[in-house]
Amino acid sequence: GENPKTLLDNNDSNKALNAAKDLLTTGPTGTNVADVQIMLLGAG
């Protein structure tokens, strides 16, 4: 029932892959990689 072109044109890959039954959901990984922020400062 979903239009794959419309979903991908809207950058909705999650919904497109779910509609195609190709979405891989791994669940919680126990890591905080997404929470890491790094600021680089240049000299001068």
Side-chain angles (χ1 to χ4, degrees):
E2 300 286 348
N3 182 336
K5 180 166 177 14
T6 301
L7 292 172
L8 295 176
D9 285 346
N10 290 328
N11 298 315
D12 196 351
S13 60
N14 187 306
K15 199 169 188 179
L17 289 170
N18 192 34
K21 307 239 186 296
D22 287 330
L23 183 63
L24 175 65
T25 305
T26 61
T29 62
T31 64
N32 292 326
V33 174
D35 295 337
V36 174
Q37 295 181 5
I38 299 173
M39 181 178 11
L40 300 175
L41 301 174

